Amino acid sequence: MACKRGALIVLEGVDKAGKTTQCQKLVQALRRKGHPAEMMRFPDRTTTIGKMISAYLENQSELSDQTVHLLFSANRWELVPLIKKKLEQGTTLVVDRYAFSGVAFTSAKPGFSLHWCKQPDVGLPKPDLVLFLQLSPAEAALRGHFGMERYEKSSFQCAVQQQFKHLMEDETVNWKVIDASMNVEDVHKDITEHSLNAINIAQNLPLGELWQ
Ligand code: Z5A
């Protein structure tokens, strides 16, 4: 008997919303409940493309906005064969940022439309669930100072938040907004509930293609 496929679950949100914390907790909780699960993150800084992105984010290199946008997308495409293989094997993937971050961050820069920014990611494996961790810039600031990376400035993060709002108007994507201002355990409970539901539904459906 063919095994049921795993679900593709993405966590998105602005800086310090708690994405990494929640991805790790979700993977552990799913495994405890008997669901094979693994975490992935974008950018994946371990690949050759990921290293170029990392140098750019750390202000160690300069790239045009168009170039870095395409590199972020290429970094996802290079992992598509692995993503598909894991899902087919029945492993649920919990992904820390995906194409939505790609579009929100570039389209927050002057002169970039949502439409242009989406094109390189059209056709990527479509997430079964996108959890958007909602946190205001003021609440994020209470979680500590921004780091030294290129996009870690509150005015830019506000512009990014605005672009995420536009992306969430797209009803072809299964968005769930999570109140990320709650304590870690309450956020986790909410996320786990939505994820278990998505795993149940996804196992009987073919994997979709994003923005097709
Ligand atoms: N980027 C892009 O431009 N294009 C793309 O296509 C992609 C990304 C994929 C690097 O991302 C940058 O790349 C990012 C977007 C851009 N730039 N920015 N900004 P990254 O993934 O390497 O790093 P990050 O996403 O910036 O991490 P983060 O946002 O700073 O953190 P987080 O994962 O959302 O949060 P966290 O690490 O889990 O928690 C942050 C702190 O808050 C930590 O001290 C926790 O203990 C605390 N925390 C977490 N949850 C809570 C709750 N519930 N209450 C209180 N405190 C909490």
Side-chain angles (χ1 to χ4, degrees), residues 23-188:
C23 282
Q24 288 166 346
K25 285 182 74 69
L26 179 59
V27 167
Q28 287 162 6
L30 293 177
R31 287 181 180 165
R32 277 197 304 272
K33 288 177 192 294
H35 297 283
E38 286 179 27
M39 180 171 162
M40 292 181 87
R41 66 179 311 146
F42 291 109
D44 178 338
R45 302 188 193 217
T46 65
T47 70
T48 303
I49 292 170
K51 288 188 177 103
M52 291 169 74
I53 293 171
S54 192
Y56 169 84
L57 288 171
E58 291 167 6
N59 293 303
Q60 288 168 8
S61 71
E62 290 303 321
L63 294 167
S64 74
D65 292 327
Q66 289 85 350
T67 304
V68 77
H69 183 72
L70 296 175
L71 286 178
F72 271 114
S73 178
N75 186 228
R76 287 183 278 278
W77 279 106
E78 67 180 331
L79 287 156
V80 165
L82 182 66
I83 291 174
K84 287 188 169 170
K85 185 171 146 210
K86 296 268 180 198
L87 294 175
E88 277 163 20
Q89 287 172 343
T91 300
T92 284
L93 294 176
V94 176
V95 186
D96 190 347
R97 293 192 187 273
Y98 197 55
F100 312 98
S101 278
V103 175
F105 276 78
T106 304
S107 64
K109 296 177 179 179
F112 286 90
S113 68
L114 277 185
H115 177 76
W116 186 90
C117 293
K118 281 162 100 169
Q119 298 316 301
D121 286 311
V122 169
L124 277 179
K126 183 177 178 174
D128 298 293
L129 173 66
V130 186
L131 296 156
F132 184 78
L133 274 60
Q134 181 83 59
L135 191 70
S136 71
E139 286 165 316
L142 295 175
R143 295 189 181 173
H145 296 294
F146 283 117
M148 300 296 285
E149 289 204 337
R150 194 176 284 264
Y151 297 145
E152 296 181 334
K153 297 175 189 79
S154 66
S155 57
F156 188 65
Q157 294 289 330
C158 286
V160 170
Q161 180 107 283
Q162 214 35 52
Q163 296 310 109
F164 271 123
K165 271 193 194 154
H166 292 310
L167 285 171
M168 282 190 275
E169 287 163 11
D170 176 1
E171 292 174 0
T172 69
V173 173
N174 183 20
W175 291 95
K176 296 280 183 253
V177 178
I178 304 293
D179 177 3
S181 68
M182 299 186 293
N183 69 54
V184 171
E185 289 310 320
D186 285 347
V187 176
H188 172 62

